[in-house]
Amino acid sequence: MSSFKGSRALKPRLSVLAKGPLEVPSPTESDWPKDDEKDFFFKDLDRELDSLPQPYRMINKLVNYLFDRSWEIIEERNSLREVEKNWTVPAIYPPSAEIQFNKMPGGMAVSQDYVFIGGPKGFSIYNLHNYKKIYVLEKFKADVTSIWATDLGNDALIVPVDEMGIVRLFYLSKDSLYLIKAINEVDDPSKQSTCVKTEISQNGDYAAFFFQGAGDVWLEVYKLPKELWLKEVEHPQLSLNQKKKTKQLQLNTPDSAVTESIEMGLGPSVGPNSTQDLTISLKSDLKLSLPVFVMRIKPPKPIAGTTFKSPLEVFAKVEDYFGIGSGQNHFIKDVQWEQHMEIFYATYKKHLEGEWEEEPLSMATFHFFYTNSLMTTPMDVKSSSGIACVLGVHWTGSHNFFLYSLNKTPKDKTDYENVWPCAAPIVMSQISSFSSYLALVCEDGVLILWDLAQGFLFGVVALPEGCFCQSIHFLRFFLVHKGQNVYPDHPVKFEVMCVVLCTDASLHLVTASGTQGPTSKVLVDRPVIHMEEAICAVAPVPALPGMVLIFSRNHSISLMDVAKIEVICAFSAPMCRQQAMPWKPLFVVSPHHPCFLLHGAHSHDQTTSTDDPKNTTDSVFYFNFEDYPLLKDISKTCTISQKALDFSQMLSVEKRCEQFLQKSIQMAKIQIKGHEQWSRLRKYSIMLQRELLKK
């Protein structure tokens, strides 16, 4: 008997069994005997295995499963080896320096010359150029969890937030540190509010703080008197005498009890013109001018019935028309609203019978804008260029983006001056440097790009199906000149670039210009097999044109050129602690210098367990791009003059339109001349034909 066994992937497996003896067929097909189909029958080989008794039947299935799975792994490894043959392994650079801590840092921030790192009961200040500690403040009641810093000329504004949610303002000038105010600290702990978010305008003119407490949330905006601070710091004795005469109230904060001058460390000068060692001390005797409260903003009220009896009464009593048509203002009678709710509950009763979860508090995202084109400015209000004048806010689950004027006094009404409605709830927003561009990301994956300076809508682009925005970052506009990315040394308008990290770990580059709508292309596809290679964070590098840092879940860090869509190099830091997935890296990229800092924990004793906190050390690793051969030249030659470029590539939309019209006129003139020449040619040919007929 004989059988013909098919592939294991084919189900069911059949065997053809013949009845009777087998014969060797002759070479000629015509001499082959004609078999009768009745003499054959089919038998399923799996039935033979299924008829085995236990536990042999289970063992057989496990062996088959292991064989199939092993074969899949072998094929996957072979395909991966084929791909790796074409890979170019990037250069891997170690950190330039390391700063060790006894505890995980509570946030990091950088200014022109300093690094500010939150820590136990305060924060520390380091020299950005030689990474040496120059000052430590440990006078808070709780550890610092986050910290911000903004350059104010040669000085800096420091804003730490501790575990109790108390936010403080510090002013750093040369060798002196001043406590300005603890914004939300109160004597009664039960009335203590918590600072959730902080936003400082880029020039340090305004500050906004998002608070929550006692089941309520609100946003407070302050104007920062930085010009007064500069005068008070330069002339401290004059400021002290003036404050004594006017009997100003002193700061009511626990930090005001600090009277001694603390000198925690020495380090080389970080100032641009200083050559001596720098010693920073806390000045508690001089109280700088307090921030000026501007307004308090609360979430939009839910839709409710109105007491107005007729439309005429509505128009008679409504003072302004802002928000009408945006879905924000509704004038519905209580009876109609009650009927609507009854219909809703009757329709969806079976879905609403379960337990109701407490609705979370609404969160706000807010940005400072520097353009007056977003709203009408009163004639008596003087606005200076480069100073924030508008605050943009959107709330959780809201379709609307609200715009508030900052040219207000505490007596003015806290009403928005403008509102931008969107078709879907806004889940994220981002602004570019000095708020030239705005990106609104909606819940349905739609990205809206605005040019705020010109009041111009670049357009709307939809992310691929199933992709939802996780983070978005604007890139400074760059060009590819002779194979190298460069920044133009002159302002460029109507050009925008941003990288979008989606929730599926795919990375996209969105570009738009004034002459064409936004387009999107994939920089990194979503991982399918190796999920540990998924991207968890992205950060642009201002010092390197067209470059972004990519942080992956497996603690790998790479630098990508978005123009070529290739990895330039990678950075390694000894991080051996097994952190929870996905990895949430703590890092900060300097906007002024070619460097970035990264927090990591590593073990000095490799023989013991790396999960033991006693065996690990928290550190901040410093990566200086100028220390690496591949990036040294890029950071030094990152700009290009306008003369070295093709001028037509950098023209604004107005100039391009003007050139286009001029070329069109020239083409029209050429066409007119051609038409005249053609007409003369026709006349001449007709004349010749007549002369020939006469002959």
Side-chain angles (χ1 to χ4, degrees):
M1 299 180 67
S2 66
S3 63
F4 300 91
K5 185 178 295 185
S7 174
R8 289 181 53 85
L10 300 177
K11 298 294 183 179
R13 293 183 294 171
L14 302 178
S15 175
V16 182
L17 303 177
K19 299 178 181 179
L22 292 177
E23 296 180 357
V24 179
S26 62
T28 306
E29 185 178 357
S30 59
D31 298 335
W32 290 359
K34 295 182 180 180
D35 298 328
D36 190 356
E37 295 181 357
K38 297 180 180 180
D39 296 334
F40 294 88
F41 66 96
F42 294 91
K43 184 176 182 180
D44 187 357
L45 295 181
D46 288 339
R47 291 185 179 179
E48 295 181 357
L49 300 177
D50 293 341
S51 62
L52 293 174
Q54 291 287 14
Y56 302 105
R57 186 165 67 249
M58 181 184 66
I59 295 174
N60 178 75
K61 291 182 178 180
L62 289 175
V63 171
N64 289 336
Y65 172 78
L66 291 175
F67 176 81
D68 294 339
R69 182 57 186 151
S70 301
W71 188 255
E72 291 176 0
I73 295 175
I74 293 172
E75 290 181 341
E76 178 184 340
R77 290 181 178 178
N78 289 336
S79 60
L80 184 60
R81 287 173 183 172
E82 293 295 328
V83 174
E84 288 178 349
K85 289 180 181 179
N86 301 323
W87 281 359
T88 302
V89 180
I92 301 177
Y93 296 119
S96 304
E98 178 183 357
I99 304 173
Q100 295 186 359
F101 295 90
N102 296 327
K103 190 176 180 181
M104 179 177 177
M108 295 187 292
V110 294
S111 66
Q112 181 72 29
D113 300 302
Y114 301 98
V115 179
F116 308 97
I117 301 178
K121 313 299 182 183
F123 60 90
S124 55
I125 304 176
Y126 287 80
N127 187 331
L128 182 60
H129 305 282
N130 59 14
Y131 14 95
K132 290 186 178 180
K133 181 167 58 178
I134 56 178
Y135 184 76
V136 174
L137 175 66
E138 295 181 347
K139 295 295 179 180
F140 298 170
K141 293 182 178 180
D143 297 346
V144 170
T145 57
S146 59
I147 189 169
W148 288 264
T150 302
D151 287 305
L152 303 178
N154 294 327
D155 302 336
L157 178 68
I158 312 167
V159 187
V161 180
D162 61 20
E163 291 178 337
M164 298 175 62
I166 299 176
V167 55
R168 298 175 175 87
L169 299 182
F170 286 87
Y171 187 85
L172 177 62
S173 177
K174 299 178 182 178
D175 59 347
S176 302
L177 181 67
Y178 305 88
L179 170 65
I180 301 173
K181 184 182 180 181
I183 299 294
N184 61 325
E185 189 173 30
V186 293
D187 296 332
D188 189 357
S190 62
K191 298 180 180 180
Q192 179 67 57
S193 60
T194 302
C195 180
V196 180
K197 290 184 180 180
T198 300
E199 187 73 26
I200 311 295
S201 63
Q202 284 188 290
N203 279 341
D205 301 295
Y206 289 89
F209 308 100
F210 182 72
F211 296 110
Q212 68 179 25
D216 194 10
V217 294
W218 66 93
L219 182 66
E220 291 185 7
V221 184
Y222 292 84
K223 182 175 176 57
L224 305 179
K226 63 177 187 177
E227 291 81 7
L228 290 178
W229 292 341
L230 181 60
K231 293 180 181 179
E232 293 167 353
V233 169
E234 290 181 350
H235 307 284
Q237 191 62 37
L238 180 62
S239 177
L240 284 174
N241 295 335
Q242 185 177 2
K243 290 179 182 296
K244 289 179 181 179
K245 291 179 181 179
T246 56
K247 296 182 179 181
Q248 284 190 335
L249 295 177
Q250 301 298 318
L251 296 177
N252 186 19
T253 65
D255 297 320
S256 62
V258 181
T259 58
E260 69 273 17
S261 175
I262 307 174
E263 297 179 3
M264 301 302 297
L266 298 177
S269 170
V270 296
N273 300 318
S274 179
T275 57
Q276 299 179 355
D277 290 346
L278 178 67
T279 301
I280 292 180
S281 59
L282 179 66
K283 304 294 184 180
S284 59
D285 54 345
L286 178 60
K287 304 300 180 181
L288 303 183
S289 298
L290 301 180
V292 180
F293 177 79
V294 177
M295 58 182 167
R296 174 178 291 186
I297 303 173
K298 288 193 174 183
K301 295 181 180 179
I303 301 174
T306 180
T307 57
F308 294 140
K309 298 179 180 179
S310 65
L312 293 178
E313 188 178 356
V314 173
F315 292 116
K317 294 187 177 180
V318 173
E319 296 180 358
D320 53 55
Y321 59 90
F322 294 115
I324 292 180
S326 65
Q328 182 61 28
N329 289 340
H330 294 269
F331 301 102
I332 304 174
K333 288 186 177 181
D334 291 330
V335 177
Q336 294 175 327
W337 190 251
E338 291 174 1
Q339 292 176 353
H340 176 76
M341 295 302 294
E342 289 178 0
I343 296 173
F344 177 81
Y345 282 112
T347 306
Y348 300 99
K349 182 179 179 180
K350 62 179 181 180
H351 301 286
L352 302 174
E353 289 178 350
E355 295 183 359
W356 284 84
E357 296 183 0
E358 184 178 355
E359 187 175 353
L361 295 175
S362 181
M363 298 292 292
T365 303
F366 41 96
H367 310 282
F368 288 102
F369 300 140
Y370 297 81
T371 174
N372 287 322
S373 60
L374 300 176
M375 59 183 60
T376 304
T377 305
M379 297 296 295
D380 57 343
V381 176
K382 295 182 180 180
S383 59
S384 303
S385 59
I387 298 179
C389 56
V390 178
L391 179 70
V393 184
H394 70 85
W395 299 84
T396 304
S398 175
H399 292 246
N400 299 322
F401 190 77
F402 300 97
L403 300 174
Y404 296 83
S405 174
L406 296 176
N407 298 315
K408 289 185 177 183
T409 62
K411 296 181 180 180
D412 296 334
K413 286 186 176 181
T414 309
D415 292 333
Y416 51 86
E417 278 70 24
N418 206 343
V419 57
W420 292 355
C422 296
I426 304 172
V427 296
M428 190 177 299
S429 61
Q430 188 60 267
I431 61 172
S432 64
S433 178
F434 283 96
S435 67
S436 300
Y437 307 116
L438 168 67
L440 297 177
V441 184
C442 295
E443 193 177 55
D444 54 0
V446 171
L447 185 66
I448 307 171
L449 296 175
W450 282 92
D451 184 345
L452 299 178
Q454 305 296 328
F456 178 79
L457 176 64
F458 280 110
V460 178
V461 60
L463 297 174
E465 186 177 359
C467 292
F468 299 97
C469 183
Q470 179 178 347
S471 66
I472 180 172
H473 303 276
F474 280 94
L475 299 179
R476 182 181 169 186
F477 178 74
F478 68 94
L479 294 172
V480 180
H481 182 70
K482 296 182 179 179
Q484 183 177 352
N485 300 344
V486 290
Y487 289 131
D489 63 349
H490 52 283
V492 179
K493 298 181 180 180
F494 306 104
E495 301 286 350
V496 62
M497 298 180 179
C498 56
V499 288
V500 179
L501 177 62
C502 296
T503 53
D504 64 350
S506 62
L507 188 64
H508 303 257
L509 176 66
V510 177
T511 58
S513 65
T515 56
Q516 60 183 8
T519 59
S520 175
K521 68 176 180 180
V522 179
L523 297 177
V524 180
D525 287 313
R526 56 182 294 269
V528 179
I529 300 176
H530 304 283
M531 297 305 299
E532 70 277 2
E533 298 178 357
I535 302 174
C536 59
V538 177
V541 183
L544 303 177
M547 305 289 181
V548 294
L549 286 171
I550 296 178
F551 299 84
S552 301
R553 293 183 181 179
N554 58 2
H555 293 190
S556 64
I557 310 158
S558 58
L559 182 68
M560 170 176 280
D561 184 349
V562 299
K564 300 177 182 178
I565 314 183
E566 67 177 10
V567 174
I568 302 299
C569 62
F571 304 97
S572 65
M575 290 178 284
C576 60
R577 182 180 297 178
Q578 300 297 325
Q579 300 180 0
M581 299 292 284
W583 178 41
K584 295 182 179 179
L586 175 61
F587 66 94
V588 60
V589 182
S590 173
H592 309 287
H593 304 287
C595 65
F596 77 97
L597 294 92
L598 172 71
H599 164 258
H602 65 98
S603 174
H604 294 286
D605 186 4
Q606 301 296 335
T607 60
T608 59
S609 174
T610 59
D611 294 332
D612 186 7
K614 298 181 181 179
N615 187 43
T616 58
T617 301
D618 284 279
S619 300
V620 171
F621 300 102
Y622 178 85
F623 295 87
N624 187 1
F625 298 138
E626 293 183 348
D627 292 342
Y628 311 127
L630 284 178
L631 307 178
K632 184 176 182 180
D633 296 335
I634 298 177
S635 62
K636 290 185 177 181
T637 60
C638 62
T639 59
I640 190 170
S641 63
Q642 188 172 354
K643 296 180 180 180
L645 293 172
D646 184 6
F647 184 72
S648 61
Q649 295 180 356
M650 302 308 301
L651 291 178
S652 62
V653 173
E654 293 86 351
K655 292 293 184 181
R656 291 180 185 179
C657 294
E658 183 180 350
Q659 283 193 357
F660 178 75
L661 292 175
Q662 291 177 355
K663 290 181 180 180
S664 300
I665 294 173
Q666 291 177 359
M667 290 298 297
K669 291 180 179 179
I670 294 174
Q671 291 177 358
I672 292 174
K673 290 181 179 179
H675 182 70
E676 292 176 353
Q677 293 175 357
W678 179 256
S679 299
R680 287 196 298 269
L681 182 61
R682 286 189 62 193
K683 290 179 180 180
Y684 184 69
S685 62
I686 292 173
M687 184 181 65
L688 291 178
Q689 288 180 359
R690 289 176 181 176
E691 292 294 332
L692 290 174
L693 290 176
K694 289 180 181 181
K695 295 179 180 180

